[in-house]
Amino acid sequence: DFRAYRIEVGQAGQWTPIGAEHGEQISNGPLEFWDTTGFAGMYTLRLLVMENSGNVLTYEMPVVVDNNAPQVQIIHPAPDDIYIMETDELVSITAEAQDDWEMDRVEFFMDGARLGDATVAPYSVRWTIKMKDVVPRSGPTVYATEVITNPDGTVTTQQTVVSETRTENYKKKDGTTAQRVIVMTGGGAGATVMDGKLHEIHTIWVNAYDKAGNMIKSAPVRIFVKHKDKETPTP
């Protein structure tokens, strides 16, 4: 006795049709497509099936619409923290992430490489400190051309930085200010020499995802790693 069906979305007793009324029967297929742009919060989807006799059958299902990305920040390590390879051995990386509804995971990256994921707060991974022991050489900025395939199949190119040299001020242990020359490579890795010691640089960031698939990237955090200073023998 089927005549037609329609889909409605409701909140606080107010119902709005999604699409038009459909006169065809559907078996194991999509009934309607709902553009959730501009929607946020708890809603009820309602299916109404009208019969030729005048009867109306209904089925309701609660849904959550979440179009907002979570909030995330790296709370450890602090920017420009210095780690000693032989003493610290590991760097514990912790992120704080919150969502309006429900978090899914946090992905951790260092210098463009994925370190791992965490699905339970506190979101944290550990990185075993490694050093290349290569003294940086300053020079002009070097670029490379990267080929990008777009979702629609078209191909475009963009320039990326292979290496870059820059100078910045920093505060020494005695409180005085000095300059350091930093050589950075693509992805966030680099190196500098401070107080006559090689310091290798790493850039950390995270991507936070909620259950709806919304994603946000955190602000990056830069850290330094170096070798333990050699002890001066006592005469």
Side-chain angles (χ1 to χ4, degrees):
D1 197 26
F2 174 87
R3 184 181 67 81
Y5 78 86
R6 71 172 181 267
I7 302 292
E8 298 177 339
V9 58
Q11 187 182 56
Q14 301 295 319
W15 295 94
T16 302
I18 300 176
E21 188 174 284
H22 299 271
E24 71 279 8
Q25 298 190 52
I26 303 295
S27 177
N28 295 322
L31 299 176
E32 192 58 83
F33 294 93
W34 179 25
D35 182 359
T36 62
T37 302
F39 290 82
M42 287 286 298
Y43 294 88
T44 301
L45 289 177
R46 181 166 70 177
L47 166 64
L48 298 95
V49 178
M50 286 74 74
E51 297 180 338
N52 289 309
S53 62
N55 292 331
V56 178
L57 308 178
T58 62
Y59 177 80
E60 297 181 358
M61 175 180 289
V63 296
V64 173
V65 179
D66 181 5
N67 287 316
N68 298 320
Q71 297 179 340
V72 66
Q73 65 175 340
I74 296 174
I75 59 176
H76 190 272
D80 290 348
D81 273 356
I82 298 177
Y83 289 85
I84 300 174
M85 178 175 174
E86 293 79 6
T87 304
D88 297 310
E89 298 183 356
L90 297 168
V91 177
S92 179
I93 306 168
T94 304
E96 185 178 77
Q98 297 179 340
D99 186 66
D100 294 339
W101 295 97
E102 187 176 1
M103 282 294 302
D104 182 61
R105 70 189 186 279
V106 175
E107 299 176 344
F108 292 80
F109 295 85
M110 176 179 286
D111 305 332
R114 187 168 173 172
L115 292 179
D117 300 354
T119 58
V120 179
Y123 304 99
S124 181
V125 298
R126 290 183 176 182
W127 174 65
T128 301
I129 297 175
K130 300 176 183 178
M131 293 188 65
K132 296 181 179 179
D133 297 320
V134 177
V135 178
R137 294 184 178 182
S138 59
T141 302
V142 178
Y143 297 94
T145 301
E146 181 180 1
V147 178
I148 300 175
T149 302
N150 300 312
D152 60 1
T154 59
V155 176
T156 57
T157 60
Q158 71 175 11
Q159 279 194 327
T160 58
V161 175
V162 177
S163 64
E164 176 187 17
T165 302
R166 60 175 180 261
T167 303
E168 66 180 27
N169 296 325
Y170 75 101
K171 186 172 288 187
K172 303 175 68 173
K173 292 182 179 180
D174 60 7
T176 60
T177 301
Q179 282 193 333
R180 57 191 175 199
V181 176
I182 292 180
V183 179
M184 297 296 295
T185 61
T192 187
V193 176
M194 291 187 292
D195 304 322
K197 305 294 183 181
L198 173 66
H199 290 64
E200 295 184 357
I201 302 169
H202 298 284
T203 304
I204 302 165
W205 72 87
V206 302
N207 291 340
Y209 293 83
D210 63 17
K211 285 293 186 181
N214 301 306
M215 186 275 284
I216 191 170
K217 180 179 178 180
S218 73
V221 171
R222 180 181 67 176
I223 63 170
F224 297 88
V225 297
K226 70 169 190 172
H227 287 294
K228 184 178 180 181
D229 295 339
K230 294 182 179 179
E231 297 181 358
T232 303
T234 303

